Amino acid sequence: MDNRYEIKKYDQKDFPLSTYLEYAHTQEREREEIHLKDYLNVILKRKSIVMVFLIAVVILTIVLSLMMTPIYMATTVVRIDKESPNILSFKAVQIDSPGADYYQTQFEILKSRNMAERIIRNLNLTGNQDFLPPKDTLSKIKSFMYDNTIGVFSDIFLLFSPRKSPDTAPSAPANRQSSGSDIPEYLISSLISRLEVSPVKNSQLVKVSFVSQNPEISMNVANAVAQTYITFDLESRLFASQDAKEFLQSQIELIRLKVEEAEQALNKYAAKNEIIFNTSNNSLYAQKLSDISAALNGVTTERIQKEALFREVRESGSNNPIILNNSMIQGLRKEHATLEAEYYNLLKIYTPNYPKMKSLQSQMDAITNRISQETAKIVNATELDYRNSFKKEENLTRALNSQKQKVLAFQDSAAQYEVLKREVDVNKGLYNSLLQRLNEVSVSASNKATNIQVLDKAILPKYPFKPNLPFNIVLAIIFGLTGGIGIAFMVEYFDNSIKDTDDIEKKADLPILGVIPHVEEVREAVASSNNTMIQHKVEPQQSDLPMVVDHTQTNPVIEAFRSIGAFILLSSSEKPPKTILITGPVDKIGKTSVAINIAKAMREKLGRGVLIDADLRRPRLHSAFALDNTVGLSSVLSGNIEFNSSNGRLIKSSGISGLSIITSGPIPPNPSELLGSPKIQAIIYALQSMYEFIIIDSPPVMGLPDSIYLSRVVDGTVLVVRAGETPLKVLKETKRLFRDINAKILGVVLNGVKQSDLKYGAYNYYHSAYYSSYFENQKH
């Protein structure tokens, strides 16, 4: 076999640089965080869903609002203090203590059945037809559907249930009434359901509102609620005062009898046990004990002082200050000193035996004896005082001990006396308190002051409360936008198709070669700039023919194909690929159009090239160029003709300078066998010497082996996918198939990208400054 027919084995270096990096670092790719602009892109992309849902909700809201009966609301403002006005110095009877749940209790009273019955009775609403809420068109429809549904099920139930005799069948009352009242139940429920009690935050104010189809009734009921509430509060206080008064009177009588019985028992016990108290309410025994104790304390103090004086005088002798300070002793000492002085003066002249000297000596001795006698008297007097005080103390101590015994004996009797006396005091205090409270309640019962005040009375409403069309429309817009956005995200979540380049690069791990704008949007953009369809820019084809653009001009689609051609040429690290396979995961993705226009773009850079239609199942290349397809690739592969580069029937002119065409030829019964034969590689090898590049248009990959065979004989494969149509899973499976056979994938072309498919900040052919100026130039 000729070496030309050997299938090449590719190493990693033969892969395009971008593709190889994608394969080598798949596991190292980091997942990017989701940004707010990603959510914005979803909303902008699915804006049609959002707008449709929004418009539907707004229209439905307007229709339902117009079908509703106008409802009026009247509001009265009431001030509720926790305590009544302080007119009296004492507190009146309180029904509810002003605790944390006080106001909640008042709100429930306002909406109670008792209040509703009073209001209906006061305003005579029983026979007022305008009081009941009317049935608008929407309510009538609901009622009709409900009644008919219930009627059908009732008939079925009666058909299969055992029948009762007419006399035992219960008859439904015409108007169900509340228990214990002559007012129908539905009237009470209707009033309570339409009554609104709304407290004003951080205040004592309460808004009481009532809604009705009749504005006058709504005003009257709102005002009646406030007045009835005030009356109810006054009546509650009055009834409470009367009940309290009756209770106090009965209790006072009972306590009075108890006081009398307790006083009699106390007096009898005091007389029996001879219990007498002085004016200070102390017993005589205790008073006498106190007096003896006080006297004993004084005598004991006196005894201690005299004992101390006696011991001091006895121990210090004549040198004691008491003795020294005695007037008599001081006089005697003075006289003795005078005689002693005179004696010693005369002793200088006379001898001691001299008569005068003896007389002076005898006088001095007499005075000394007198001093000793007087000192002894003082000592004896001090001792006598001490002894008397000691004896007196002993007597008082004995008297005190005796009185203590009497007091202790008295206390046993006095304990029971105190119990009886305490009972008398308690009963008297309770009697006085009840009597005082009875007088206070009698006074407060006539007090008409209340803690409830009507600040603003309800006035006649001029405009209906419901339906509030502007408010409903705003809510509908909010709900419509929220619901529409939710639906848009749900649709986006379940949409598994390829939408933008991020899906290809990040999720499929494949390089992107370029983005082809949606042709119709480009035409519209051009037409809006020039107000006419510029046919020579993007050549319109029939819907079943490939698109062929005029590369002699400049527009976004043409530049997209030119950039794709440049990326293909730069996709290999060593040399540009010469033989390129154009295929896709599925059909109807525009691969033939991409193949044609890539060939035209590469012709501008490389020169002569050939475009081969290898789709032997559904060939379309000959239709795009209006060529004869009786002879083509299948003719050579099947052996009907020999390959000859000079054969004009095989290699046809496209009408474009430098670009030749090999059509598919007749559709064979075995396309896969022909494309998998060695002849296809021989044909490509022969064409490589004749042309600078070879573009092969092949069938889709999924389900067919044709493109798999062809991918092994070319330098690289270009995958074409259509935005919003080609599933991402299919693209991943296609990549896996090519990797399993070690085929080279140059990259992916994203075809048919609409403006809504492009993310904010992505590569965008629509809003670049270059093409904005292009469209602006089309106007001139």
Side-chain angles (χ1 to χ4, degrees):
M1 180 182 290
D2 196 334
N3 291 334
R4 295 178 300 173
Y5 299 109
E6 290 184 0
I7 299 177
K8 290 181 64 179
K9 300 294 184 179
Y10 296 102
D11 197 357
Q12 289 182 349
K13 64 181 182 178
D14 297 319
F15 278 82
L17 179 60
S18 58
T19 305
Y20 173 70
L21 290 176
E22 292 291 340
Y23 290 161
H25 302 287
T26 299
Q27 301 300 327
E28 299 178 3
R29 182 182 298 274
E30 296 183 357
R31 201 174 192 87
E32 293 188 359
E33 296 181 357
I34 298 178
H35 298 281
L36 181 61
K37 65 180 181 180
D38 297 326
Y39 296 105
L40 179 61
N41 291 330
V42 174
I43 296 173
L44 295 177
K45 178 181 178 181
R46 308 289 181 179
K47 62 180 178 293
S48 59
I49 297 176
V50 177
M51 294 305 298
V52 170
F53 187 81
L54 172 63
I55 294 172
V57 171
V58 172
I59 293 176
L60 181 61
T61 301
I62 294 174
V63 172
L64 295 179
S65 298
L66 295 178
M67 292 173 65
M68 295 174 62
T69 301
I71 301 298
Y72 296 86
M73 172 184 281
T75 303
T76 181
V77 181
V78 179
R79 177 183 176 182
I80 304 177
D81 293 330
K82 285 190 175 181
E83 298 182 357
S84 300
N86 191 13
I87 299 175
L88 304 174
S89 59
F90 50 84
K91 292 185 178 181
V93 178
Q94 291 185 350
I95 303 174
D96 298 323
S97 60
D101 56 348
Y102 172 76
Y103 282 108
Q104 187 62 36
T105 303
Q106 303 306 309
F107 302 154
E108 294 300 326
I109 291 175
L110 285 169
K111 299 192 68 174
S112 63
R113 299 175 60 82
N114 190 352
M115 290 285 294
E117 292 178 2
R118 290 168 178 256
I119 295 168
I120 294 174
R121 190 176 293 109
N122 294 339
L123 296 180
N124 193 20
L125 298 176
T126 306
N128 194 333
Q129 297 297 328
D130 293 334
F131 171 68
L132 290 175
K135 288 188 177 181
D136 51 22
T137 305
L138 184 61
S139 299
K140 291 178 180 179
I141 295 174
K142 290 182 179 179
S143 178
F144 175 79
M145 295 178 64
Y146 177 80
D147 293 340
N148 283 273
T149 304
I150 295 299
V152 171
F153 284 104
S154 298
D155 294 340
I156 297 174
F157 177 76
L158 292 175
L159 181 62
F160 291 97
S161 62
R163 300 193 178 185
K164 296 181 180 181
S165 58
D167 54 348
T168 60
S171 59
N175 289 327
R176 184 176 55 177
Q177 298 181 354
S178 60
S179 60
S181 174
D182 57 345
I183 300 176
E185 176 73 18
Y186 68 91
L187 288 179
I188 298 175
S189 300
S190 175
L191 189 144
I192 295 176
S193 63
R194 290 183 286 162
L195 184 64
E196 296 183 6
V197 179
S198 305
V200 180
K201 190 176 182 181
N202 298 328
S203 71
Q204 298 175 338
L205 303 182
V206 180
K207 292 183 179 181
V208 181
S209 306
F210 186 76
V211 293
S212 174
Q213 76 277 10
N214 190 317
E216 186 175 356
I217 289 180
S218 63
M219 177 188 67
N220 293 336
V221 172
N223 290 326
V225 170
Q227 294 301 327
T228 305
Y229 176 54
I230 294 175
T231 304
F232 175 81
D233 182 74
L234 291 175
E235 291 179 356
S236 300
R237 295 176 187 274
L238 179 61
F239 293 153
S241 298
Q242 292 177 352
D243 294 340
K245 186 176 180 181
E246 294 176 357
F247 172 76
L248 290 174
Q249 288 175 347
S250 62
Q251 293 298 316
I252 286 173
E253 184 63 23
L254 294 175
I255 297 300
R256 185 183 65 79
L257 295 176
K258 287 185 178 181
V259 170
E260 292 178 356
E261 293 176 356
E263 287 180 343
Q264 291 177 1
L266 179 65
N267 293 333
K268 288 181 181 180
Y269 184 82
K272 180 179 179 181
N273 293 277
E274 298 180 353
I275 298 175
I276 302 173
F277 291 93
N278 58 13
T279 56
S280 301
N281 201 24
N282 295 324
S283 66
L284 296 179
Y285 292 103
Q287 182 64 38
K288 187 175 180 179
L289 178 64
S290 177
D291 294 341
I292 294 175
S293 177
L296 178 61
N297 291 334
V299 170
T300 301
T301 302
E302 182 181 356
R303 190 265 305 168
I304 293 172
Q305 293 176 352
K306 290 182 178 182
E307 182 181 5
L309 180 62
F310 166 69
R311 294 183 183 279
E312 183 181 358
V313 171
R314 188 179 61 179
E315 293 176 359
S316 59
S318 59
N319 294 325
N320 190 276
I322 296 176
I323 297 175
L324 294 176
N325 293 331
N326 187 273
S327 60
M328 183 175 289
I329 293 178
Q330 286 181 353
L332 291 175
R333 287 181 177 276
K334 186 176 180 182
E335 186 178 355
H336 183 275
T338 302
L339 292 175
E340 186 178 12
E342 184 180 357
Y343 176 82
Y344 281 107
N345 289 329
L346 290 179
L347 186 62
K348 295 178 181 181
I349 299 174
Y350 302 105
T351 62
N353 296 321
Y354 186 72
K356 189 175 183 179
M357 294 295 289
K358 291 181 177 181
S359 175
L360 290 174
Q361 183 65 43
S362 61
Q363 291 179 2
M364 291 172 56
D365 294 337
I367 292 173
T368 302
N369 293 330
R370 285 284 306 274
I371 292 173
S372 299
Q373 293 176 359
E374 291 296 328
T375 301
K377 289 181 180 179
I378 294 173
V379 171
N380 293 332
T382 304
E383 183 180 4
L384 182 60
D385 288 342
Y386 161 67
R387 299 297 179 185
N388 292 333
S389 297
F390 182 78
K391 187 175 183 179
K392 187 178 181 179
E393 181 183 11
E394 288 181 345
N395 295 333
L396 288 176
T397 301
R398 286 193 294 270
L400 180 65
N401 293 332
S402 176
Q403 190 64 29
K404 283 182 179 180
Q405 297 297 324
K406 294 180 180 180
V407 170
L408 291 175
F410 172 77
Q411 285 181 349
D412 294 337
S413 301
Q416 182 62 27
Y417 178 84
E418 290 296 332
V419 172
L420 296 175
K421 187 176 181 298
R422 192 179 302 111
E423 183 178 359
V424 172
D425 294 339
V426 170
N427 289 332
K428 281 185 178 180
L430 182 59
Y431 177 81
N432 293 331
S433 299
L434 292 175
L435 189 61
Q436 180 182 358
R437 188 56 179 165
L438 177 61
N439 295 330
E440 292 176 353
V441 170
S442 300
V443 175
S444 64
S446 59
N447 183 18
K448 301 298 182 182
T450 178
N451 61 327
I452 304 169
Q453 180 183 1
V454 178
L455 295 183
D456 296 327
K457 288 188 175 182
I459 60 175
L460 188 68
K462 297 181 180 180
Y463 304 101
F465 166 67
K466 290 181 180 180
N468 188 347
L469 188 58
F471 180 73
N472 291 346
I473 292 176
V474 171
L475 288 182
I477 292 174
I478 295 174
F479 175 76
L481 287 175
T482 304
I485 292 173
I487 295 175
F489 278 105
M490 183 176 65
V491 172
E492 182 71 15
Y493 177 79
F494 287 104
D495 185 7
N496 193 31
S497 63
I498 298 172
K499 294 173 279 295
D500 50 38
T501 57
D502 286 347
D503 292 340
I504 298 173
E505 293 181 331
K506 298 176 182 178
K507 297 180 181 180
D509 290 331
L510 289 172
I512 184 73
L513 293 176
V515 177
I516 307 299
H518 197 276
V519 178
E520 294 300 328
E521 286 192 356
V522 176
R523 288 172 179 166
E524 292 175 2
V526 175
S528 62
S529 301
N530 202 22
N531 294 326
T532 59
M533 181 68 71
I534 304 178
Q535 302 292 344
H536 65 281
K537 300 298 181 185
V538 180
E539 300 175 3
Q541 306 287 329
Q542 298 179 8
S543 59
D544 59 342
L545 295 180
M547 179 194 69
V548 181
V549 297
D550 186 359
H551 282 252
T552 61
Q553 305 296 331
T554 300
N555 63 40
V557 179
I558 297 171
E559 292 301 325
F561 283 114
R562 288 173 177 168
S563 65
I564 291 172
F567 279 123
I568 291 174
L569 296 177
L570 298 174
S571 60
S572 179
S573 59
E574 295 184 355
K575 61 179 181 179
K578 191 171 184 179
T579 57
I580 302 167
L581 176 67
I582 308 294
T583 185
V586 293
D587 59 349
K588 297 182 180 179
I589 55 176
K591 59 179 180 59
T592 302
S593 300
V594 172
I596 294 172
N597 291 286
I598 289 178
K600 296 178 67 175
M602 295 183 69
R603 177 192 61 86
E604 298 176 359
K605 296 292 183 180
L606 300 179
R608 296 179 69 247
V610 61
L611 179 59
I612 303 175
D613 190 353
D615 190 348
L616 304 184
R617 302 174 187 273
R618 297 178 59 185
R620 302 180 63 194
L621 197 59
H622 64 281
S623 301
F625 290 94
L627 299 175
D628 180 36
N629 196 30
T630 56
V631 176
L633 180 63
S634 62
S635 303
V636 179
L637 294 177
S638 61
N640 294 331
I641 64 172
E642 293 293 333
F643 177 78
N644 189 350
S645 60
S646 62
N647 190 346
R649 296 180 61 191
L650 178 62
I651 302 177
K652 305 175 181 64
S653 174
S654 64
I656 301 173
S657 176
L659 182 60
S660 301
I661 302 293
I662 297 179
T663 61
S664 63
I667 298 177
N670 53 348
S672 300
E673 295 180 4
L674 296 180
L675 294 176
S677 64
K679 288 185 178 182
I680 187 67
Q681 188 173 8
I683 294 173
I684 293 174
Y685 183 81
L687 292 174
Q688 286 180 353
S689 61
M690 300 168 53
Y691 297 97
E692 300 298 329
F693 67 90
I694 301 171
I695 302 294
I696 302 175
D697 179 22
S698 68
V701 177
M702 301 306 296
L704 300 174
D706 302 7
S707 298
I708 303 298
Y709 292 144
L710 293 173
S711 64
R712 303 181 64 181
V713 298
V714 295
D715 295 336
T717 302
V718 175
L719 298 178
V720 181
V721 295
R722 182 171 290 276
E725 296 182 9
T726 305
L728 179 62
K729 184 177 181 180
V730 174
L731 178 60
K732 291 181 178 180
E733 181 64 18
T734 302
K735 183 190 76 170
R736 186 189 66 81
L737 293 176
F738 281 114
R739 290 186 62 184
D740 289 344
I741 63 172
N742 203 22
K744 297 179 297 182
I745 300 177
L746 301 178
V748 181
V749 174
L750 183 59
N751 189 22
V753 178
K754 296 182 180 180
Q755 181 178 354
S756 59
D757 293 332
L758 292 173
K759 290 185 177 180
Y760 178 79
Y763 182 64
N764 192 336
Y765 288 107
Y766 297 98
H767 298 295
S768 65
Y770 179 82
Y771 290 110
S772 297
S773 61
Y774 164 76
F775 289 132
E776 187 67 24
N777 294 332
Q778 299 301 318
K779 299 180 180 179
H780 304 289

